[in-house]
Amino acid sequence: MNLLPISLLLLVLGGCTGSPGYHVEEYQEIKFEDLAEDIKIPAKAWDALEFKSAGGHEEAAPSAGGEHGAPAGGEHSSTKNLLFSEVTVFLVQKNPGIVEGEAVKILLPKGGGTIDLSRFITGQRGSFYVGFEFPAFEKATAKKVLFVSGTRKRRIEQKIFGAGCNQFFDITDRFMKEMKGEGLKVNTTQERYLSVLGGTFLFSAQQGSDIHVAQVTFKNSQYTPLFCEVP
């Protein structure tokens, strides 16, 4: 598994600044009815979502209070149930005119879905916040959040943006911390936000013998050359 570069980690998961971020009182609510599209992710990413170690075995569940773990039983245990669960996405502008509707709450069906950001993000320069709500985490004894990059690396003002194609990262701990704060803050200047969000966020939560999973894929149909494949 690749380690997230420090510069990219700081860009993606910036610290809290006291702003409410994506936690606002009112949202424009949008419900997606279509089932999630099939997506391709690395086999090792699926192993991580099922809480398997690098050697193919189950990770041990924490004795108490941990964020990572796994169900008891072997890899092919018949008691392990993989269930698709709902996930909600929040897009909230920091600067005026960035998000269509100012604050949007997107309700995705079981299993998640794909969000075309061209529908929600304007051409204005500025920042906006992204938040996620995965209800299965509330009663989970083990949690996992992965990010699979779907954008090419590119150079902007002597800096490299984007993680590149076919790369995935375990962002569980920092993700949980940021969702308790303002969320992920990204910037639209030169479409920097696409180098951060472009790709798939994968969620997995262990509840007893059940593993609840969902995915959120971000694309932008106006900037397909930035992506590894046409979304």
Side-chain angles (χ1 to χ4, degrees):
M1 184 182 301
N2 296 288
L3 296 177
L4 192 62
I6 296 298
S7 59
L8 180 61
L9 181 64
L10 293 176
L11 176 65
V12 177
L13 303 174
C16 299
T17 62
S19 166
Y22 79 95
H23 302 282
V24 298
E25 294 183 359
E26 297 183 0
Y27 301 92
Q28 176 184 334
E29 191 169 293
I30 299 173
K31 187 173 184 179
F32 282 23
E33 300 288 354
D34 295 338
L35 296 177
E37 302 174 3
D38 291 336
I39 60 171
K40 295 180 180 180
I41 66 170
K44 290 183 179 180
W46 274 117
D47 288 344
L49 292 177
E50 293 182 341
F51 305 101
K52 296 176 184 176
S53 66
H57 302 291
E58 301 289 347
E59 297 177 5
S63 58
E67 287 190 342
H68 301 286
E75 178 179 340
H76 302 290
S77 173
S78 60
T79 61
K80 181 193 298 183
N81 304 310
L82 195 64
L83 305 174
F84 292 119
S85 295
E86 293 89 354
V87 60
T88 299
V89 177
F90 303 86
L91 304 174
V92 179
Q93 65 185 22
K94 175 178 174 61
N95 302 115
I98 301 299
V99 176
E100 296 283 0
E102 298 185 10
V104 177
K105 179 179 181 180
I106 303 172
L107 305 173
L108 296 173
K110 290 184 177 181
T114 299
I115 297 175
D116 187 345
L117 291 170
S118 67
R119 293 181 51 187
F120 306 101
I121 306 304
T122 71
Q124 299 282 349
R125 290 188 177 185
S127 299
F128 66 97
Y129 299 100
V130 183
F132 300 85
E133 186 176 89
F134 187 50
F137 278 158
E138 294 181 6
K139 298 181 179 180
T141 56
K143 306 173 184 180
K144 189 75 74 176
V145 183
L146 306 179
F147 177 68
V148 182
S149 173
T151 57
R152 307 174 190 276
K153 289 184 178 181
R154 60 190 177 117
R155 185 180 298 274
I156 303 176
E157 298 176 354
Q158 307 305 313
K159 295 182 179 180
I160 300 298
F161 285 76
C165 305
N166 301 315
Q167 304 295 316
F168 79 95
F169 313 96
D170 185 335
I171 60 172
T172 306
D173 294 338
R174 290 301 300 266
F175 178 90
M176 298 299 176
K177 178 180 179 181
E178 297 307 323
M179 289 306 107
K180 292 179 181 179
E182 65 183 14
L184 310 183
K185 185 172 72 173
V186 292
N187 192 274
T188 63
T189 303
Q190 294 183 280
E191 291 69 53
R192 284 174 167 84
Y193 71 99
L194 292 179
S195 295
V196 175
L197 300 176
T200 300
F201 289 81
L202 299 166
F203 305 89
S204 179
Q206 171 71 31
Q207 295 182 10
S209 61
D210 296 332
I211 297 180
H212 297 258
V213 296
Q215 61 90 7
V216 176
T217 298
F218 290 108
K219 68 176 186 178
N220 189 312
S221 56
Q222 294 180 343
Y223 298 99
T224 54
L226 299 181
F227 289 81
C228 301
E229 298 179 2
V230 177

